[in-house]
Structures are given as C-alpha cells and as structure tokens.
Amino acid sequence: MRKNVAVPFMLAAGLLASAPFAHAATNLVYCSEGSPAGFDPGQYTTGTDFDASAETVFNRLTQFERGGTAVIPGLATSWEVSDDGLTYSFHLRDGVKFHTTEYFKPSREFNADDVLFTFERMLNKDHPFRKAYPTEFPYFTDMGMDANITKVEKIDAKTVKFTLASVDAAFIQNLAMSFASIQSAEYADQLLKSGKAADINQKPVGTGPFVFKRYQKDAQIRFTGNKDYWVPGDVKIDNLIFSITTDASVRMQKLKANECQITLFPRPADLESLKKDPNLQMPSQPGFNDGYIAYNVTHKPLDKLEVRQALDMAVNKQGIIDAVYQSAGQLAVNGMPPTQWSYDETIKDAAYNPEKAKELLKAAGVKEGTEITLWAMPVQRPYNPNAKLMAEMLQSDWAKVGIKAKIVTYEWGEYLKRAKAGEHDAMLIGWSGDNGDPDNWLGTLYGCDAVDGNNFSKWCNADYDKLIKEAKRTTDQAKRTELYKQAQHILKDQVPITPIAHSTVYQPMRKSVQDFKISPFALNSFYGVSVGK
C-alpha cells in the first residue's frame, strides 16, 4: 500500500491545492534550482530545461540506463547498423501511448511518423512547423547532426531508417540524449492547424513517465504519473512537483523541514550539517563535469594568445578550489574530466605566475587598467557552486596583473542567449557530460560547428577541428583516443579556456526517498523512484 509523504500545510496550500485525489496519493516534491526556459527539449542545452521536460515528459529512441552511461533500448526495441556504418534501421516499440491532456487527446499510438516529425523539424529549416514556430536546435547543430544526417525514412509504421553522410561513432549515444526526445506528430499537426505552434514549448506532450499539468514561472511545475507508461511498474509517484527555489540555503531549509523530499546543489558550507541530519541521506559521486572560464577570442584583447596565456596563469586556481568548492572539488587542467576515456594525463597547467602574466600583457601591448567584462552565472550548476564568489576572486586575481574585470550577470536563459551571441569578453560556464563520449566535450564545446552554440570562446582552429572530426568518423577506440589526445594538446596550447575544477556531485534527499539514482550526466529522473514514511 502506498503511503502519503507528509507535506507541511503551507506547502500543500501552495503546491497541491485543488488536487482531486481519488485515493491516498503518493507525492514527491523536488526543490529545483531554476525555471526552465521552455519544455521543448530540442531547443535547449541545460539540465534545468532537460529535467523539466526530457526527463519527465519525453522518451527517446535509445536511452541511458538509470544512473549509468550504458545505452539501452527506448522507444526503439532494437536497431541494425550497415557494414559501412552509414545507415541505422530502428524497430519501434508497440503499444506506446502519447499523453492524454486537457489540450490533446491522441487518436493513435506512437509510430514512425513521430520520429520523422521530430528529426525533420530539426533538419529542415523550411519544415512547415518550423516556419510557423521559428526556432533553432543548438545541441543538434553543435554536434553537426544537421549536416551529417542526410535522410530519415519511414520504412513502415514501426521501422525508421537514418542515413548519414559520414560515420558517427557516437550516433546511438547521441540519440539517447535529451535533445532527441520524440514529439507527437499528431499533436504538432493539431497545433499547426490551430495556429498555436509555439504551444509545443509551453504545453508539452510526450510518451514519458510523467504528464505535464501546469507551470508557474519561478514557482512550480506540476506533473502527474503516467498510468499508461510503457514500462510496467516504473511510475510509482502520483504527483511530481518541482518547487523552483533558486537560493541554495532555502532549498536545504525546505529539505530539512520536509517541504521537499529531494533537492540538488548544496553549498559546500552546508555539507557537514546535511550529513549529520538523521532524516536525510547524502549520496554522492565524482562529478562528470568541468567548470571553466571561456575567453571570447573574437574580442580584443582576447584575440591575442599572449593575453589569454596571461589571464590563465594569473588565476589562483587553488585559492578558488579552497574557497568556492571547499572539500567538494578537484583542480581541472583539461577541457574534460579525467574520468572520460581518452583523457590525456600528460597535459599540465601553466604555473600560477602573476609576474610572468604582467610581462606577457606588456609584450602584447595591453595597457595597465584595460577593462574587460567577466560574466558570472546567476544559478548554481553541478560544475560551479558559487559563480559570484568565483568571479570576485578572478576579478581580484586579474587586478593584480593590471586587468580590470567588470562582473556582469543575467537571468540564466538570457545569460546563455547573450553569450551564444558573443556579447561577453570572458565568462564562467561549464559542462556536465551528456553521453559518455569524448566528442560531447571536445566537439560540442570547442569545435568549429559549435561556434554559434556551446563554444562560448568562439574559437575555431582548423587543425583541432580536423582531428576531432576524424576521431568521430572512426569506430576504433584506440585510434579515436590518439586523435583526441592530439586535439587536447592544441586546446591547451591555444588557451580558449581556463579549466578551473571538477566538482563532486551531492544529492541531498529525505530518507523516505527510495531508489533515486544520481545521473553521471547531472540530470534528475524520477521514474523508478518511490517515497515511503
């Protein structure tokens, strides 16, 4: 028999009002860190957006095992790859239903038409739906999938074939990523006919474990458990509520008071008190992440290598690790974490050397007192628990070598939008791996295809790009590793970024929460999760 989670009255009044429970419902409140920009996973690149859409409402053709990096069947039960590695045939799952909501009632089950709509909208800028609702798909294009997928064909109602221009060693992993979430073609057609195409981003419909109910910006998102979910027994929660709480200390207070049962991103200073609370559990694991400074190489004086080298060696990384991450981070020297296969351990940091930094700046003709902007995220991320403090420490470090850094911040969605447009000089950013493949770092973050997306340095190096693209076109892991190692040396030598830290991921939750798995990709999934007393 399922038990109610004890939810304090004030929270119940705010979050659970007007919920007509026909039985003693199981509720789970998750204190999330920010408001999603929308609910169409293809449009976004951050965990905040994916948690609220891809991980709740949607599924993909392939998927990652819960809490791991292995790829398992999703909406496709199996697939075949041609001998030349250029065609993938997917066999689709029978009996999968799209959500029935107040705004959509499906007349059929999931089939090949839904896969075609999902990918043709991302591939074709002249697609009718994309013309009605103009948008971009940054992850899809950053990975070069828009150029590499030459055709998506419906073989029959339950078979779809993808044809590639060149071998993509990570194609199956890529299709398991959040941006590849499968949309309903029937729902899209309804929206198109009613002139409401933009609703696909505000009123989502998927096949996932939870059904979207409503969203109040900066306050809450409500979902109900999908009773028709295609994985029997995987949905154990009747009502899932995201209580949007941007302040880390407030999140922890709510957790301790049982106003939420699970949360994320505790401040390092709070870790000890959380560990001592008898009502809480604190699972943790080494973070598959990298927090770094991105230098916009299209802006003067950051277009000069000597200037980037100077700023890099003027950063007191150990001081930042001690103050910002405390006991929950390790120093980063590379553009991806050491737990990623192909990581080159021979790469070393330039020593902290403010005096040499001054010399480099002088030789580059940079006058003392030169001003640049330094952008700092307004939210906590897995790779950076306190961007404001880090920015202030960098400001102090760079002032010692004659560079005046003006700290700038924006609301999270605006921060990313403006940064992709290249408005910043230097910025704090980072990444949590999304598919376990080196290309997800070296291509997605620093490749030429990503210059208008997640390559916030706007750095495009032909030699580097040739190496990472060649690596992606071979399935031999030893060859890929050698190519990626060569690329990592170019990345380090050209200093488009200064890696700062890899943080340990802690996931505080009530002891009543059962079977929650920490994702190596810094996502939060609630299927398979239950709550007890």
Side-chain angles (χ1 to χ4, degrees):
M1 179 178 171
R2 288 177 293 197
K3 303 289 185 182
N4 272 338
V5 171
V7 180
F9 175 76
M10 290 301 291
L11 183 77
L15 294 179
L16 303 176
S18 306
F21 301 146
H23 62 288
T26 301
N27 309 316
L28 189 148
V29 182
Y30 165 59
C31 280
S32 63
E33 84 288 11
S35 295
F39 296 88
D40 176 3
Q43 294 189 45
Y44 303 108
T45 62
T46 79
T48 304
D49 301 304
F50 293 154
D51 283 352
S53 58
E55 295 304 304
T56 47
V57 177
F58 292 97
N59 295 121
R60 289 146 292 284
L61 291 176
T62 61
Q63 63 188 42
F64 296 107
E65 65 178 0
R66 202 158 59 95
T69 60
V71 177
I72 59 176
L75 293 178
T77 56
S78 62
W79 50 88
E80 294 99 36
V81 187
S82 62
D83 291 341
D84 62 5
L86 296 178
T87 61
Y88 288 73
S89 298
F90 292 90
H91 303 284
L92 307 182
R93 190 175 297 275
D94 285 321
V96 176
K97 298 178 181 180
F98 278 98
H99 300 158
T100 295
T101 70
E102 294 174 0
Y103 46 87
F104 176 66
K105 290 178 173 55
S107 67
R108 61 164 177 81
E109 294 179 345
F110 157 74
N111 66 29
D113 292 332
D114 305 306
V115 180
L116 259 63
F117 168 75
T118 298
F119 287 94
E120 285 178 349
R121 181 175 66 123
M122 293 193 283
L123 286 165
N124 181 11
K125 291 190 176 183
D126 292 323
H127 190 281
F129 196 92
R130 193 158 171 186
K131 281 191 166 183
Y133 175 44
T135 189
E136 298 300 323
F137 301 95
Y139 220 139
F140 190 69
T141 54
D142 284 3
M143 299 176 76
M145 293 182 78
D146 57 328
N148 201 35
I149 297 174
T150 61
K151 193 162 43 174
V152 185
E153 299 171 88
K154 173 184 176 180
I155 305 305
D156 57 44
K158 292 295 178 181
T159 313
V160 175
K161 184 168 80 171
F162 287 74
T163 303
L164 309 184
S166 59
V167 173
D168 180 350
F171 189 66
I172 292 296
Q173 290 99 310
N174 294 345
L175 292 186
M177 292 166 63
S178 298
F179 74 88
S181 295
I182 302 299
Q183 299 275 358
S184 164
E186 186 183 16
Y187 178 50
D189 187 54
Q190 173 185 304
L191 293 177
L192 203 56
K193 288 177 179 174
S194 63
K196 297 179 179 178
D199 276 4
I200 201 168
N201 196 28
Q202 301 302 321
K203 297 178 177 179
V205 169
T207 59
F210 295 94
V211 180
F212 176 83
K213 298 302 287 185
R214 61 180 177 270
Y215 168 48
Q216 183 180 351
K217 186 175 171 60
D218 298 331
Q220 63 163 295
I221 314 168
R222 281 188 57 92
F223 306 90
T224 57
N226 179 7
K227 300 305 179 189
D228 293 322
Y229 193 48
W230 52 271
V231 184
D234 245 15
V235 180
K236 302 174 181 179
I237 299 165
D238 295 300
N239 298 285
L240 173 64
I241 302 99
F242 280 35
S243 176
I244 299 165
T245 311
T246 56
D247 187 291
S249 61
V250 175
R251 287 199 299 273
M252 300 314 134
Q253 289 167 16
K254 285 185 173 183
L255 182 71
K256 288 184 174 185
N258 200 24
E259 291 179 20
C260 56
Q261 287 74 54
I262 185 166
T263 188
L264 74 176
F265 306 155
R267 298 182 308 170
D270 291 335
L271 292 176
E272 284 308 309
S273 68
L274 291 168
K275 288 176 182 177
K276 291 175 182 176
D277 191 315
N279 296 310
L280 303 181
Q281 49 183 321
M282 277 281 286
S284 66
Q285 66 185 32
F288 193 52
N289 58 47
D290 199 354
Y292 59 92
I293 308 164
Y295 303 112
N296 186 342
V297 302
T298 69
H299 284 196
K300 295 183 181 301
L302 300 168
D303 57 334
K304 293 184 178 181
L305 175 59
E306 298 86 353
V307 174
R308 301 195 299 273
Q309 289 173 325
L311 292 177
D312 179 79
M313 66 179 61
V315 175
N316 182 354
K317 283 193 187 181
Q318 194 56 54
I320 290 173
I321 298 286
D322 294 343
V324 176
Y325 294 85
Q326 298 180 33
S327 60
Q330 66 182 99
L331 190 140
V333 300
N334 208 337
M336 58 186 187
T339 47
Q340 173 64 66
W341 64 264
S342 82
Y343 180 90
D344 193 330
E345 295 181 354
T346 68
I347 290 175
K348 305 299 179 188
D349 258 344
Y352 172 58
N353 193 334
E355 291 307 313
K356 187 175 180 184
K358 286 181 187 176
E359 293 172 12
L360 283 170
L361 290 169
K362 186 176 180 181
V366 177
K367 295 180 180 178
E368 188 165 343
T370 292
E371 294 186 4
I372 64 170
T373 58
L374 170 61
W375 288 26
M377 291 118 48
V379 294
Q380 280 184 286
R381 302 304 302 147
Y383 47 76
N384 191 333
N386 192 335
K388 181 176 182 289
L389 176 58
M390 187 185 291
E392 289 167 351
M393 295 182 74
L394 289 170
Q395 185 182 52
S396 174
D397 286 343
W398 288 344
K400 292 171 186 173
V401 298
I403 297 293
K404 286 186 177 180
K406 178 187 176 185
I407 298 173
V408 174
T409 194
Y410 294 97
E411 181 271 329
W412 183 225
E414 190 71 11
Y415 184 88
L416 293 171
K417 180 181 175 183
R418 287 174 177 264
K420 286 174 182 177
E423 294 182 19
H424 60 291
D425 291 330
M427 70 179 290
L428 296 179
I429 194 65
W431 194 252
S432 294
D434 282 328
N435 69 4
D437 193 88
D439 181 72
N440 187 239
W441 303 90
L442 301 180
T444 302
L445 302 182
Y446 321 116
C448 294
D449 288 339
V451 161
D452 293 325
N454 288 306
N455 182 345
F456 293 108
S457 301
K458 309 298 178 184
W459 175 74
C460 178
N461 180 286
D463 293 333
Y464 174 89
D465 221 53
K466 182 180 178 182
L467 288 165
I468 62 168
K469 284 181 173 170
E470 187 179 345
K472 197 175 178 183
R473 287 193 292 265
T474 178
T475 55
D476 185 314
Q477 188 163 316
K479 289 180 181 176
R480 294 186 77 201
T481 294
E482 181 53 39
L483 292 164
Y484 284 134
K485 285 186 174 182
Q486 291 177 47
Q488 288 168 67
H489 280 276
I490 295 174
L491 181 71
K492 192 66 176 178
D493 292 344
Q494 292 299 308
V495 203
I497 64 166
T498 291
I500 299 292
H502 312 294
S503 67
T504 302
V505 174
Y506 289 90
Q507 193 94 41
M509 64 187 79
R510 303 289 299 183
K511 283 192 173 173
S512 58
V513 177
Q514 296 158 15
D515 207 28
F516 182 91
K517 306 285 187 184
I518 297 180
S519 163
F521 308 129
L523 297 171
N524 292 280
S525 303
F526 297 95
Y527 65 94
V529 178
S530 60
V531 286
K533 285 186 178 179

